[in-house]
Every structure is written in C-alpha cells, then in structure tokens.
Amino acid sequence: MRALRIAPDTTVTELDLPAADAHFAIQDHIRTTHAVHQGAYYRRALLHIHGDGRATRLTQNTTAWALASAWRGIALYPLHGPVIVTDVLRMGERPPRTTAWPSTRTRLRRP
C-alpha cells in the first residue's frame, strides 16, 4: 500500500506499507508504540497522527496541519510529530459518516 510520510521538517517521503501489517508499519514510521489517531480530513485521505505528540512535546507539523486545514476549509488544531497519509479505502475503512471529537483513539472527521 502506498502512503506519504510528512515530517515536521517539511520532508515528504513516499512509503510502501505492507497490506497485512499496515497499522504496525504506521506506528513504526510515526515512532510510537502507543495510540495512533486517525483523521479523515478529505474524502479519500486518512491522516495517521501520533496519539501523544502534543503531550510528549513533539515538534509541530505545520505542513501536515496546512494540508489538513486546507482539505477541511478551516484552521484546525495543531498536529505534532510525523504524519502518515493513506487512502481511506485502502486501509479497509469506509469514508466516515459522522464526526467524533478527537479525544478517542481514532479521530474521524466528515469531509
């Protein structure tokens, strides 16, 4: 599965994630063994965000924040640490139908 890794230093890297263990590969690329939050800010794109990025004082990711904010059409909350962008449908997800506030393990935002 193809994905993009957006680093806080504005570096964007293309990734090939294994289909069977994509979640664990995403955790490795984000550099966490804890929660990975997900946000669908665009209809077919899913952003995977470090669950404790702000609390552990990771660098703010202004590139991923600008992309997600542009997709949503409003300025969003800050994103911290590396962010992985995947296709919603390739992750086995259906496009979200409801909006949940980002306090849960998985963040879903309606496009």
Side-chain angles (χ1 to χ4, degrees):
M1 166 189 337
R2 303 291 292 165
L4 294 175
R5 180 183 187 272
I6 304 172
D9 68 357
T10 72
T11 304
V12 178
T13 309
E14 290 186 49
L15 304 173
D16 277 320
L17 301 176
D21 294 325
H23 180 74
F24 295 113
I26 289 169
Q27 282 182 311
D28 288 343
H29 286 288
I30 292 178
R31 297 189 180 124
T32 186
T33 57
H34 300 291
V36 173
H37 293 214
Q38 298 174 352
Y41 301 97
Y42 181 70
R43 196 172 127 194
R44 296 211 31 180
L46 187 62
L47 274 66
H48 304 268
I49 305 161
H50 194 293
D52 298 322
R54 184 174 182 180
T56 57
R57 299 180 189 254
L58 293 179
T59 305
Q60 189 170 339
N61 192 328
T62 55
T63 303
W65 171 83
L67 178 65
S69 293
W71 280 342
R72 291 289 295 148
I74 60 171
L76 298 170
Y77 46 84
L79 303 178
H80 294 81
V83 173
I84 307 296
V85 181
T86 62
D87 185 337
V88 171
L89 301 177
R90 289 190 181 174
M91 285 299 296
E93 301 285 335
R94 290 178 27 199
R97 293 185 182 157
T98 61
T99 300
W101 190 249
S103 61
T104 58
R105 182 178 181 279
T106 303
R107 294 187 217 181
L108 297 176
R109 304 279 303 201
R110 189 181 333 187

